[in-house]
Amino acid sequence: KIDAEIAVKCGLVDAYERLKKYTNDYSDVSSPIARAIITEILHIINNTDAKNSLYENRIQQVISYINSNYRSNITLSSIADEFFVSKSHLSREFHRFTGYTLTDYIKRKRINGVLAMCRNGKNISDACYGSGFRDYASFYRAFFKEYGKSPKKYIAEMNISK
């Protein structure tokens, strides 16, 4: 879905109106004029903020999906399959729009989930598995990389647990 303001500014709406006019309500698109307008429409979509708007919307949907499902076994592959895009394209666009790799975003989301569960009285190990980490070692590495200290030490220093 393209933002209406972007569609007007970039000339997309005008091009569609001209296409409608020259094709008798889109019924005959075989004329040279219709083909030229279709080429213009494709050029506009490819070279304007309309494309960025489409990608932003897709990335927002991916973020929402991750936020709802980070506790399950989601991966780059499973998300790419869910949104019918290639892994490389999804990775590139996600990084371009968020500044994070998709896997780093998932790890950060899971780490924040662990901290939230610890605030609610769960022990670190249970919170680790409840936030989608497959094993404590991968959680520990991700946490240490993010905070520069062990989860137990961080939680004690921040007085997170009850």
Side-chain angles (χ1 to χ4, degrees):
K1 156 173 126 175
I2 298 174
D3 183 81
E5 187 177 323
I6 292 171
V8 171
K9 283 182 180 178
C10 69
L12 196 55
V13 172
D14 177 57
Y16 274 107
E17 289 299 319
R18 284 185 285 117
L19 182 63
K20 183 178 180 180
K21 176 182 170 186
Y22 288 110
T23 61
N24 195 19
D25 285 333
Y26 312 112
S27 62
D28 180 20
V29 294
S30 63
S31 74
I33 292 174
R35 288 180 180 200
I37 295 170
I38 291 170
T39 302
E40 178 185 353
I41 289 169
L42 292 173
H43 178 77
I44 289 168
I45 290 172
N46 195 39
N47 293 301
T48 65
D49 287 340
K51 184 170 77 172
N52 287 337
S53 178
L54 289 172
Y55 289 138
E56 276 185 49
N57 186 35
R58 170 73 51 91
I59 297 305
Q60 288 171 348
Q61 291 172 348
V62 168
I63 289 170
S64 178
Y65 179 82
I66 292 169
N67 291 345
S68 298
N69 296 288
Y70 71 91
R71 290 180 178 99
S72 64
N73 187 22
I74 59 172
T75 62
L76 172 59
S77 293
S78 67
I79 295 169
D81 290 346
E82 179 74 22
F83 287 91
F84 306 104
V85 296
S86 73
K87 293 186 296 187
S88 61
H89 180 71
L90 176 59
S91 293
R92 193 172 39 255
E93 293 303 318
F94 192 89
H95 188 266
R96 189 175 89 159
F97 283 101
T98 66
Y100 296 104
T101 67
L102 194 132
T103 53
D104 281 346
Y105 182 84
I106 293 170
K107 282 180 195 172
R108 288 171 187 246
K109 189 70 183 170
R110 287 176 173 163
I111 289 170
N112 288 335
V114 171
L115 294 174
M117 287 182 189
C118 288
R119 280 187 198 95
N120 290 323
K122 283 238 185 210
N123 69 46
I124 297 171
S125 183
D126 290 343
C128 155
Y129 294 111
S131 290
F133 284 99
R134 282 183 262 144
D135 57 69
Y136 190 82
S138 61
F139 160 67
Y140 186 92
R141 281 190 305 276
F143 193 95
F144 196 87
K145 183 178 178 184
E146 182 74 21
Y147 291 102
K149 54 184 82 171
S150 74
K152 188 174 183 177
K153 184 174 183 178
Y154 179 85
I155 288 170
E157 287 176 2
M158 299 305 291
N159 199 21
I160 289 176
S161 60
K162 292 182 176 182

PDB file of all heavy atoms in Angstrom, residues 35-65:
ATOM      1  N   ARG A  35       1.024   1.591 -23.338  1.00  0.00           N
ATOM      2  CA  ARG A  35       2.284   0.945 -22.964  1.00  0.00           C
ATOM      3  C   ARG A  35       3.297   1.962 -22.453  1.00  0.00           C
ATOM      4  O   ARG A  35       4.045   1.688 -21.510  1.00  0.00           O
ATOM      5  CB  ARG A  35       2.851   0.163 -24.140  1.00  0.00           C
ATOM      6  CG  ARG A  35       2.055  -1.083 -24.415  1.00  0.00           C
ATOM      7  CD  ARG A  35       2.613  -1.847 -25.561  1.00  0.00           C
ATOM      8  NE  ARG A  35       1.794  -3.027 -25.768  1.00  0.00           N
ATOM      9  CZ  ARG A  35       2.196  -4.082 -26.411  1.00  0.00           C
ATOM     10  NH1 ARG A  35       3.412  -4.127 -26.917  1.00  0.00           N
ATOM     11  NH2 ARG A  35       1.397  -5.112 -26.556  1.00  0.00           N
ATOM     12  N   ALA A  36       3.313   3.138 -23.052  1.00  0.00           N
ATOM     13  CA  ALA A  36       4.232   4.191 -22.598  1.00  0.00           C
ATOM     14  C   ALA A  36       3.867   4.643 -21.188  1.00  0.00           C
ATOM     15  O   ALA A  36       4.746   4.862 -20.348  1.00  0.00           O
ATOM     16  CB  ALA A  36       4.208   5.368 -23.561  1.00  0.00           C
ATOM     17  N   ILE A  37       2.576   4.772 -20.921  1.00  0.00           N
ATOM     18  CA  ILE A  37       2.137   5.190 -19.589  1.00  0.00           C
ATOM     19  C   ILE A  37       2.442   4.101 -18.558  1.00  0.00           C
ATOM     20  O   ILE A  37       2.879   4.395 -17.441  1.00  0.00           O
ATOM     21  CB  ILE A  37       0.636   5.560 -19.589  1.00  0.00           C
ATOM     22  CG1 ILE A  37       0.396   6.791 -20.470  1.00  0.00           C
ATOM     23  CG2 ILE A  37       0.152   5.839 -18.166  1.00  0.00           C
ATOM     24  CD1 ILE A  37      -1.076   7.095 -20.735  1.00  0.00           C
ATOM     25  N   ILE A  38       2.247   2.850 -18.929  1.00  0.00           N
ATOM     26  CA  ILE A  38       2.581   1.747 -18.011  1.00  0.00           C
ATOM     27  C   ILE A  38       4.075   1.758 -17.705  1.00  0.00           C
ATOM     28  O   ILE A  38       4.482   1.581 -16.551  1.00  0.00           O
ATOM     29  CB  ILE A  38       2.132   0.394 -18.602  1.00  0.00           C
ATOM     30  CG1 ILE A  38       0.600   0.314 -18.618  1.00  0.00           C
ATOM     31  CG2 ILE A  38       2.731  -0.774 -17.807  1.00  0.00           C
ATOM     32  CD1 ILE A  38       0.035  -0.851 -19.397  1.00  0.00           C
ATOM     33  N   THR A  39       4.885   2.004 -18.712  1.00  0.00           N
ATOM     34  CA  THR A  39       6.337   2.114 -18.496  1.00  0.00           C
ATOM     35  C   THR A  39       6.646   3.270 -17.558  1.00  0.00           C
ATOM     36  O   THR A  39       7.487   3.156 -16.661  1.00  0.00           O
ATOM     37  CB  THR A  39       7.064   2.308 -19.840  1.00  0.00           C
ATOM     38  OG1 THR A  39       6.752   1.197 -20.690  1.00  0.00           O
ATOM     39  CG2 THR A  39       8.570   2.407 -19.650  1.00  0.00           C
ATOM     40  N   GLU A  40       5.944   4.389 -17.749  1.00  0.00           N
ATOM     41  CA  GLU A  40       6.129   5.554 -16.865  1.00  0.00           C
ATOM     42  C   GLU A  40       5.757   5.201 -15.426  1.00  0.00           C
ATOM     43  O   GLU A  40       6.466   5.561 -14.485  1.00  0.00           O
ATOM     44  CB  GLU A  40       5.278   6.726 -17.355  1.00  0.00           C
ATOM     45  CG  GLU A  40       5.375   7.948 -16.488  1.00  0.00           C
ATOM     46  CD  GLU A  40       4.419   9.056 -16.926  1.00  0.00           C
ATOM     47  OE1 GLU A  40       3.763   8.943 -17.983  1.00  0.00           O
ATOM     48  OE2 GLU A  40       4.326  10.043 -16.179  1.00  0.00           O
ATOM     49  N   ILE A  41       4.658   4.490 -15.252  1.00  0.00           N
ATOM     50  CA  ILE A  41       4.216   4.088 -13.907  1.00  0.00           C
ATOM     51  C   ILE A  41       5.275   3.205 -13.245  1.00  0.00           C
ATOM     52  O   ILE A  41       5.628   3.410 -12.078  1.00  0.00           O
ATOM     53  CB  ILE A  41       2.848   3.367 -13.973  1.00  0.00           C
ATOM     54  CG1 ILE A  41       1.745   4.371 -14.324  1.00  0.00           C
ATOM     55  CG2 ILE A  41       2.537   2.652 -12.654  1.00  0.00           C
ATOM     56  CD1 ILE A  41       0.404   3.734 -14.671  1.00  0.00           C
ATOM     57  N   LEU A  42       5.794   2.255 -13.995  1.00  0.00           N
ATOM     58  CA  LEU A  42       6.835   1.377 -13.442  1.00  0.00           C
ATOM     59  C   LEU A  42       8.082   2.175 -13.092  1.00  0.00           C
ATOM     60  O   LEU A  42       8.716   1.930 -12.065  1.00  0.00           O
ATOM     61  CB  LEU A  42       7.164   0.265 -14.433  1.00  0.00           C
ATOM     62  CG  LEU A  42       6.042  -0.755 -14.651  1.00  0.00           C
ATOM     63  CD1 LEU A  42       6.405  -1.707 -15.788  1.00  0.00           C
ATOM     64  CD2 LEU A  42       5.740  -1.516 -13.384  1.00  0.00           C
ATOM     65  N   HIS A  43       8.428   3.141 -13.925  1.00  0.00           N
ATOM     66  CA  HIS A  43       9.587   3.990 -13.652  1.00  0.00           C
ATOM     67  C   HIS A  43       9.372   4.808 -12.369  1.00  0.00           C
ATOM     68  O   HIS A  43      10.270   4.921 -11.537  1.00  0.00           O
ATOM     69  CB  HIS A  43       9.845   4.922 -14.839  1.00  0.00           C
ATOM     70  CG  HIS A  43      10.977   5.867 -14.625  1.00  0.00           C
ATOM     71  ND1 HIS A  43      12.290   5.479 -14.711  1.00  0.00           N
ATOM     72  CD2 HIS A  43      10.988   7.180 -14.299  1.00  0.00           C
ATOM     73  CE1 HIS A  43      13.072   6.514 -14.446  1.00  0.00           C
ATOM     74  NE2 HIS A  43      12.299   7.550 -14.204  1.00  0.00           N
ATOM     75  N   ILE A  44       8.180   5.366 -12.223  1.00  0.00           N
ATOM     76  CA  ILE A  44       7.867   6.160 -11.024  1.00  0.00           C
ATOM     77  C   ILE A  44       7.988   5.290  -9.775  1.00  0.00           C
ATOM     78  O   ILE A  44       8.617   5.684  -8.787  1.00  0.00           O
ATOM     79  CB  ILE A  44       6.449   6.776 -11.126  1.00  0.00           C
ATOM     80  CG1 ILE A  44       6.420   7.885 -12.178  1.00  0.00           C
ATOM     81  CG2 ILE A  44       5.990   7.315  -9.773  1.00  0.00           C
ATOM     82  CD1 ILE A  44       5.014   8.351 -12.540  1.00  0.00           C
ATOM     83  N   ILE A  45       7.399   4.110  -9.818  1.00  0.00           N
ATOM     84  CA  ILE A  45       7.437   3.216  -8.651  1.00  0.00           C
ATOM     85  C   ILE A  45       8.879   2.821  -8.325  1.00  0.00           C
ATOM     86  O   ILE A  45       9.271   2.771  -7.162  1.00  0.00           O
ATOM     87  CB  ILE A  45       6.562   1.970  -8.884  1.00  0.00           C
ATOM     88  CG1 ILE A  45       5.087   2.373  -8.882  1.00  0.00           C
ATOM     89  CG2 ILE A  45       6.834   0.895  -7.834  1.00  0.00           C
ATOM     90  CD1 ILE A  45       4.140   1.275  -9.299  1.00  0.00           C
ATOM     91  N   ASN A  46       9.664   2.584  -9.356  1.00  0.00           N
ATOM     92  CA  ASN A  46      11.037   2.142  -9.142  1.00  0.00           C
ATOM     93  C   ASN A  46      11.962   3.257  -8.659  1.00  0.00           C
ATOM     94  O   ASN A  46      12.972   2.978  -8.029  1.00  0.00           O
ATOM     95  CB  ASN A  46      11.594   1.522 -10.427  1.00  0.00           C
ATOM     96  CG  ASN A  46      12.836   0.730 -10.186  1.00  0.00           C
ATOM     97  OD1 ASN A  46      12.942   0.032  -9.186  1.00  0.00           O
ATOM     98  ND2 ASN A  46      13.785   0.836 -11.093  1.00  0.00           N
ATOM     99  N   ASN A  47      11.628   4.499  -8.919  1.00  0.00           N
ATOM    100  CA  ASN A  47      12.573   5.588  -8.651  1.00  0.00           C
ATOM    101  C   ASN A  47      12.061   6.670  -7.719  1.00  0.00           C
ATOM    102  O   ASN A  47      12.562   7.778  -7.726  1.00  0.00           O
ATOM    103  CB  ASN A  47      13.002   6.240  -9.968  1.00  0.00           C
ATOM    104  CG  ASN A  47      13.808   5.300 -10.813  1.00  0.00           C
ATOM    105  OD1 ASN A  47      14.842   4.826 -10.387  1.00  0.00           O
ATOM    106  ND2 ASN A  47      13.317   5.007 -11.997  1.00  0.00           N
ATOM    107  N   THR A  48      11.088   6.356  -6.903  1.00  0.00           N
ATOM    108  CA  THR A  48      10.562   7.369  -5.985  1.00  0.00           C
ATOM    109  C   THR A  48      10.433   6.818  -4.586  1.00  0.00           C
ATOM    110  O   THR A  48      10.722   5.664  -4.321  1.00  0.00           O
ATOM    111  CB  THR A  48       9.164   7.846  -6.431  1.00  0.00           C
ATOM    112  OG1 THR A  48       8.267   6.759  -6.335  1.00  0.00           O
ATOM    113  CG2 THR A  48       9.156   8.428  -7.813  1.00  0.00           C
ATOM    114  N   ASP A  49       9.941   7.653  -3.735  1.00  0.00           N
ATOM    115  CA  ASP A  49       9.690   7.254  -2.358  1.00  0.00           C
ATOM    116  C   ASP A  49       8.557   6.247  -2.256  1.00  0.00           C
ATOM    117  O   ASP A  49       8.360   5.656  -1.205  1.00  0.00           O
ATOM    118  CB  ASP A  49       9.355   8.473  -1.500  1.00  0.00           C
ATOM    119  CG  ASP A  49      10.572   9.324  -1.217  1.00  0.00           C
ATOM    120  OD1 ASP A  49      11.701   8.795  -1.340  1.00  0.00           O
ATOM    121  OD2 ASP A  49      10.409  10.510  -0.886  1.00  0.00           O
ATOM    122  N   ALA A  50       7.819   6.050  -3.345  1.00  0.00           N
ATOM    123  CA  ALA A  50       6.753   5.061  -3.316  1.00  0.00           C
ATOM    124  C   ALA A  50       7.332   3.686  -3.000  1.00  0.00           C
ATOM    125  O   ALA A  50       6.788   2.933  -2.204  1.00  0.00           O
ATOM    126  CB  ALA A  50       6.003   5.037  -4.646  1.00  0.00           C
ATOM    127  N   LYS A  51       8.463   3.356  -3.618  1.00  0.00           N
ATOM    128  CA  LYS A  51       9.109   2.069  -3.358  1.00  0.00           C
ATOM    129  C   LYS A  51       9.538   1.994  -1.899  1.00  0.00           C
ATOM    130  O   LYS A  51       9.345   0.987  -1.231  1.00  0.00           O
ATOM    131  CB  LYS A  51      10.307   1.897  -4.293  1.00  0.00           C
ATOM    132  CG  LYS A  51      10.985   0.557  -4.163  1.00  0.00           C
ATOM    133  CD  LYS A  51      11.998   0.313  -5.253  1.00  0.00           C
ATOM    134  CE  LYS A  51      13.246   1.078  -4.981  1.00  0.00           C
ATOM    135  NZ  LYS A  51      14.348   0.749  -5.896  1.00  0.00           N
ATOM    136  N   ASN A  52      10.123   3.081  -1.396  1.00  0.00           N
ATOM    137  CA  ASN A  52      10.542   3.094   0.005  1.00  0.00           C
ATOM    138  C   ASN A  52       9.355   2.926   0.938  1.00  0.00           C
ATOM    139  O   ASN A  52       9.456   2.267   1.957  1.00  0.00           O
ATOM    140  CB  ASN A  52      11.295   4.382   0.332  1.00  0.00           C
ATOM    141  CG  ASN A  52      12.672   4.390  -0.272  1.00  0.00           C
ATOM    142  OD1 ASN A  52      13.236   3.341  -0.566  1.00  0.00           O
ATOM    143  ND2 ASN A  52      13.220   5.560  -0.479  1.00  0.00           N
ATOM    144  N   SER A  53       8.241   3.535   0.580  1.00  0.00           N
ATOM    145  CA  SER A  53       7.045   3.414   1.399  1.00  0.00           C
ATOM    146  C   SER A  53       6.569   1.966   1.445  1.00  0.00           C
ATOM    147  O   SER A  53       6.184   1.458   2.495  1.00  0.00           O
ATOM    148  CB  SER A  53       5.939   4.312   0.849  1.00  0.00           C
ATOM    149  OG  SER A  53       4.767   4.180   1.608  1.00  0.00           O
ATOM    150  N   LEU A  54       6.627   1.288   0.293  1.00  0.00           N
ATOM    151  CA  LEU A  54       6.235  -0.121   0.267  1.00  0.00           C
ATOM    152  C   LEU A  54       7.157  -0.956   1.143  1.00  0.00           C
ATOM    153  O   LEU A  54       6.709  -1.802   1.913  1.00  0.00           O
ATOM    154  CB  LEU A  54       6.290  -0.648  -1.172  1.00  0.00           C
ATOM    155  CG  LEU A  54       5.223  -0.138  -2.115  1.00  0.00           C
ATOM    156  CD1 LEU A  54       5.527  -0.582  -3.536  1.00  0.00           C
ATOM    157  CD2 LEU A  54       3.844  -0.605  -1.695  1.00  0.00           C
ATOM    158  N   TYR A  55       8.472  -0.730   1.054  1.00  0.00           N
ATOM    159  CA  TYR A  55       9.421  -1.486   1.855  1.00  0.00           C
ATOM    160  C   TYR A  55       9.270  -1.159   3.337  1.00  0.00           C
ATOM    161  O   TYR A  55       9.359  -2.038   4.176  1.00  0.00           O
ATOM    162  CB  TYR A  55      10.860  -1.233   1.407  1.00  0.00           C
ATOM    163  CG  TYR A  55      11.191  -1.848   0.073  1.00  0.00           C
ATOM    164  CD1 TYR A  55      11.932  -1.158  -0.862  1.00  0.00           C
ATOM    165  CD2 TYR A  55      10.767  -3.138  -0.266  1.00  0.00           C
ATOM    166  CE1 TYR A  55      12.255  -1.725  -2.090  1.00  0.00           C
ATOM    167  CE2 TYR A  55      11.073  -3.706  -1.478  1.00  0.00           C
ATOM    168  CZ  TYR A  55      11.821  -2.992  -2.391  1.00  0.00           C
ATOM    169  OH  TYR A  55      12.131  -3.553  -3.588  1.00  0.00           O
ATOM    170  N   GLU A  56       9.061   0.114   3.665  1.00  0.00           N
ATOM    171  CA  GLU A  56       8.872   0.494   5.069  1.00  0.00           C
ATOM    172  C   GLU A  56       7.677  -0.230   5.657  1.00  0.00           C
ATOM    173  O   GLU A  56       7.744  -0.734   6.780  1.00  0.00           O
ATOM    174  CB  GLU A  56       8.671   2.007   5.203  1.00  0.00           C
ATOM    175  CG  GLU A  56       9.938   2.791   5.257  1.00  0.00           C
ATOM    176  CD  GLU A  56       9.680   4.253   5.504  1.00  0.00           C
ATOM    177  OE1 GLU A  56       8.930   4.590   6.433  1.00  0.00           O
ATOM    178  OE2 GLU A  56      10.241   5.057   4.743  1.00  0.00           O
ATOM    179  N   ASN A  57       6.598  -0.279   4.900  1.00  0.00           N
ATOM    180  CA  ASN A  57       5.397  -0.964   5.369  1.00  0.00           C
ATOM    181  C   ASN A  57       5.693  -2.447   5.604  1.00  0.00           C
ATOM    182  O   ASN A  57       5.296  -3.017   6.613  1.00  0.00           O
ATOM    183  CB  ASN A  57       4.264  -0.790   4.359  1.00  0.00           C
ATOM    184  CG  ASN A  57       2.957  -1.344   4.864  1.00  0.00           C
ATOM    185  OD1 ASN A  57       2.657  -1.284   6.047  1.00  0.00           O
ATOM    186  ND2 ASN A  57       2.175  -1.904   3.967  1.00  0.00           N
ATOM    187  N   ARG A  58       6.418  -3.066   4.677  1.00  0.00           N
ATOM    188  CA  ARG A  58       6.769  -4.480   4.827  1.00  0.00           C
ATOM    189  C   ARG A  58       7.642  -4.683   6.067  1.00  0.00           C
ATOM    190  O   ARG A  58       7.437  -5.604   6.837  1.00  0.00           O
ATOM    191  CB  ARG A  58       7.493  -4.956   3.565  1.00  0.00           C
ATOM    192  CG  ARG A  58       8.147  -6.323   3.625  1.00  0.00           C
ATOM    193  CD  ARG A  58       7.189  -7.521   3.599  1.00  0.00           C
ATOM    194  NE  ARG A  58       6.215  -7.511   2.546  1.00  0.00           N
ATOM    195  CZ  ARG A  58       6.364  -8.049   1.341  1.00  0.00           C
ATOM    196  NH1 ARG A  58       7.476  -8.633   1.003  1.00  0.00           N
ATOM    197  NH2 ARG A  58       5.378  -8.003   0.472  1.00  0.00           N
ATOM    198  N   ILE A  59       8.621  -3.811   6.273  1.00  0.00           N
ATOM    199  CA  ILE A  59       9.515  -3.939   7.419  1.00  0.00           C
ATOM    200  C   ILE A  59       8.735  -3.723   8.712  1.00  0.00           C
ATOM    201  O   ILE A  59       8.964  -4.417   9.708  1.00  0.00           O
ATOM    202  CB  ILE A  59      10.719  -2.982   7.314  1.00  0.00           C
ATOM    203  CG1 ILE A  59      11.570  -3.334   6.089  1.00  0.00           C
ATOM    204  CG2 ILE A  59      11.562  -3.001   8.582  1.00  0.00           C
ATOM    205  CD1 ILE A  59      12.052  -4.773   6.019  1.00  0.00           C
ATOM    206  N   GLN A  60       7.798  -2.784   8.726  1.00  0.00           N
ATOM    207  CA  GLN A  60       6.965  -2.597   9.917  1.00  0.00           C
ATOM    208  C   GLN A  60       6.155  -3.856  10.214  1.00  0.00           C
ATOM    209  O   GLN A  60       5.981  -4.240  11.374  1.00  0.00           O
ATOM    210  CB  GLN A  60       6.044  -1.391   9.729  1.00  0.00           C
ATOM    211  CG  GLN A  60       6.778  -0.081   9.790  1.00  0.00           C
ATOM    212  CD  GLN A  60       5.915   1.105   9.384  1.00  0.00           C
ATOM    213  OE1 GLN A  60       4.829   0.951   8.838  1.00  0.00           O
ATOM    214  NE2 GLN A  60       6.418   2.299   9.642  1.00  0.00           N
ATOM    215  N   GLN A  61       5.685  -4.522   9.167  1.00  0.00           N
ATOM    216  CA  GLN A  61       4.953  -5.774   9.352  1.00  0.00           C
ATOM    217  C   GLN A  61       5.881  -6.860   9.913  1.00  0.00           C
ATOM    218  O   GLN A  61       5.480  -7.635  10.782  1.00  0.00           O
ATOM    219  CB  GLN A  61       4.341  -6.244   8.033  1.00  0.00           C
ATOM    220  CG  GLN A  61       3.218  -5.372   7.537  1.00  0.00           C
ATOM    221  CD  GLN A  61       2.767  -5.753   6.130  1.00  0.00           C
ATOM    222  OE1 GLN A  61       3.418  -6.521   5.443  1.00  0.00           O
ATOM    223  NE2 GLN A  61       1.643  -5.194   5.706  1.00  0.00           N
ATOM    224  N   VAL A  62       7.113  -6.907   9.415  1.00  0.00           N
ATOM    225  CA  VAL A  62       8.092  -7.888   9.901  1.00  0.00           C
ATOM    226  C   VAL A  62       8.395  -7.629  11.371  1.00  0.00           C
ATOM    227  O   VAL A  62       8.430  -8.563  12.185  1.00  0.00           O
ATOM    228  CB  VAL A  62       9.382  -7.857   9.045  1.00  0.00           C
ATOM    229  CG1 VAL A  62      10.504  -8.649   9.707  1.00  0.00           C
ATOM    230  CG2 VAL A  62       9.109  -8.380   7.640  1.00  0.00           C
ATOM    231  N   ILE A  63       8.596  -6.361  11.737  1.00  0.00           N
ATOM    232  CA  ILE A  63       8.874  -6.016  13.138  1.00  0.00           C
ATOM    233  C   ILE A  63       7.701  -6.424  14.026  1.00  0.00           C
ATOM    234  O   ILE A  63       7.890  -7.003  15.101  1.00  0.00           O
ATOM    235  CB  ILE A  63       9.197  -4.519  13.283  1.00  0.00           C
ATOM    236  CG1 ILE A  63      10.574  -4.233  12.670  1.00  0.00           C
ATOM    237  CG2 ILE A  63       9.151  -4.075  14.744  1.00  0.00           C
ATOM    238  CD1 ILE A  63      10.898  -2.757  12.544  1.00  0.00           C
ATOM    239  N   SER A  64       6.508  -6.140  13.578  1.00  0.00           N
ATOM    240  CA  SER A  64       5.318  -6.526  14.340  1.00  0.00           C
ATOM    241  C   SER A  64       5.250  -8.049  14.493  1.00  0.00           C
ATOM    242  O   SER A  64       4.933  -8.567  15.578  1.00  0.00           O
ATOM    243  CB  SER A  64       4.068  -6.004  13.630  1.00  0.00           C
ATOM    244  OG  SER A  64       2.913  -6.385  14.313  1.00  0.00           O
ATOM    245  N   TYR A  65       5.562  -8.761  13.436  1.00  0.00           N
ATOM    246  CA  TYR A  65       5.576 -10.228  13.473  1.00  0.00           C
ATOM    247  C   TYR A  65       6.611 -10.726  14.480  1.00  0.00           C
ATOM    248  O   TYR A  65       6.319 -11.609  15.291  1.00  0.00           O
ATOM    249  CB  TYR A  65       5.862 -10.780  12.074  1.00  0.00           C
ATOM    250  CG  TYR A  65       5.919 -12.275  12.012  1.00  0.00           C
ATOM    251  CD1 TYR A  65       4.748 -13.024  11.928  1.00  0.00           C
ATOM    252  CD2 TYR A  65       7.134 -12.955  12.038  1.00  0.00           C
ATOM    253  CE1 TYR A  65       4.795 -14.413  11.879  1.00  0.00           C
ATOM    254  CE2 TYR A  65       7.189 -14.335  11.987  1.00  0.00           C
ATOM    255  CZ  TYR A  65       6.012 -15.058  11.903  1.00  0.00           C
ATOM    256  OH  TYR A  65       6.068 -16.430  11.862  1.00  0.00           O
TER     257      TYR A  65
END
